[in-house]
Amino acid sequence: MIVCNSNNFAVTRAQKTGGASLEIYFLESGLIDYDNDIYTLEGGFSTWQEFKEYSDAHDNLKYSELPRELYGYDYLKDAQKTYTQVVEEGLAAADMPWVGTIRHPLDWLSSLYYYANVRRKLNAAENLKKYGAYSDIDKWNDVHYSEPNAGWDTAFIEIVDNPAIKNSVKAQTSYYPDHAQLFNFENINEHATAFIEAKGGTVSSNLKIRASENDNTYYLKTLTDDRKQKTLDMFAKDFAAWEKAYAVYN
């Protein structure tokens, strides 16, 4: 999350949309007054330079190798504030120009599924090594999340009211105001470069952003057509926002 009073814009981040990369674009753009503007980072890093140094030294924060203190709700709660939270906390005016990232709902859901399973398998392996057996939670998670359709049913039918699930699958557009300028995931570089340069900032040709480990082929091939359609229906506003942003460069 960034509130750039010095250049009159704010940035918020929905989960698994390239938001960490977008934040780095802005923090390295020369547009942010680090002493007076507001920005928050994952894991409680005090400065963006500290965050970037850690990221560069640890394989660009490869998700499968993150320590416990650098993932999950506590790790992200300040970095992933919604527009409503930012305004209610008095950090930015409701009519401030706003930017963020948006992803096709099915690609976004595929990413959530993939990274949840990466973490699930790592936790299960740790429990097996430590205790010589999988925990009951490991076994339950394996049944309910190891296959895309089972994972979809778990998240959207079986435990839909679970607070952690509700937070994980919160609509992307709930992080932004209706007047936000959104950058589609596939063209973050083009969108961010145009916005930053229009503000008088710069984008380094050596900028290193976080790479995605996820290949969504398996998820999209396996998820049934009816679940795909229900996803698009549930997240119709996200889909429309993604289409609008995607059309700019495609």
Side-chain angles (χ1 to χ4, degrees):
M1 184 272 290
I2 299 171
V3 179
C4 182
N5 291 304
S6 59
N7 280 286
N8 192 35
F9 68 91
V11 184
T12 44
R13 296 168 40 183
Q15 293 190 63
K16 295 290 173 278
T17 62
S21 296
L22 181 64
E23 198 163 7
I24 293 297
Y25 269 96
F26 284 108
L27 291 171
E28 295 194 8
S29 69
L31 295 176
I32 311 301
D33 179 342
Y34 305 119
D35 295 323
N36 297 302
D37 290 333
I38 302 167
Y39 67 93
T40 56
L41 298 161
E42 291 95 325
F45 290 99
S46 58
T47 67
W48 79 267
Q49 293 94 335
E50 181 184 334
F51 169 78
K52 189 67 165 56
E53 182 179 352
Y54 184 93
S55 175
D56 290 345
H58 292 82
D59 201 13
N60 206 23
L61 293 185
K62 186 176 181 181
Y63 186 81
S64 59
E65 298 177 8
L66 288 178
R68 181 63 186 90
E69 64 270 19
L70 290 181
Y71 69 86
Y73 174 75
D74 290 338
Y75 165 57
L76 293 166
K77 65 180 180 180
D78 290 328
Q80 292 186 343
K81 290 180 185 290
T82 65
Y83 161 76
T84 299
Q85 289 174 308
V86 172
V87 172
E88 287 181 348
E89 292 174 14
L91 301 175
D95 61 352
M96 177 175 261
W98 219 272
V99 297
T101 47
I102 192 77
R103 197 166 184 174
H104 188 293
L106 291 173
D107 290 334
W108 169 74
L109 201 58
S110 168
S111 184
L112 288 171
Y113 169 83
Y114 172 80
Y115 287 105
N117 271 281
V118 167
R119 187 54 52 192
R120 174 185 68 80
K121 292 175 182 177
L122 288 171
N123 290 342
E126 289 175 5
N127 286 336
L128 180 62
K129 181 178 180 180
K130 186 174 182 179
Y131 302 110
Y134 295 118
S135 70
D136 289 341
I137 293 177
D138 294 333
K139 295 174 183 176
W140 189 92
N141 285 339
D142 184 62
V143 171
H144 289 81
Y145 290 113
S146 61
E147 190 271 340
N149 295 295
W152 194 99
D153 290 348
T154 300
F156 295 112
I157 299 174
E158 296 181 28
I159 58 171
V160 66
D161 292 325
N162 178 284
I165 292 295
K166 291 176 72 173
N167 184 67
S168 294
V169 298
K170 184 163 53 181
Q172 298 169 69
T173 46
S174 69
Y175 287 83
Y176 314 118
D178 289 340
H179 68 266
Q181 181 179 347
L182 298 182
F183 307 161
N184 64 296
F185 180 81
E186 299 87 348
N187 299 105
I188 287 177
N189 180 67
E190 293 92 331
H191 281 288
T193 298
F195 184 93
I196 288 168
E197 290 181 347
K199 288 279 188 180
T202 59
V203 175
S204 170
S205 59
N206 297 320
L207 182 69
K208 185 178 181 182
I209 62 175
R210 292 178 69 175
S212 173
E213 303 169 41
N214 177 36
D215 179 351
N216 65 15
T217 303
Y218 166 71
Y219 186 87
L220 296 180
K221 182 178 180 180
T222 305
L223 193 68
T224 60
D225 288 342
D226 63 316
R227 289 180 177 87
K228 290 177 182 176
Q229 187 57 56
K230 288 177 181 177
T231 299
L232 295 177
D233 292 342
M234 282 190 292
F235 298 106
K237 187 175 180 180
D238 289 358
F239 184 50
W242 172 82
E243 283 191 310
K244 180 180 178 181
Y246 185 83
V248 174
Y249 291 105
N250 296 278

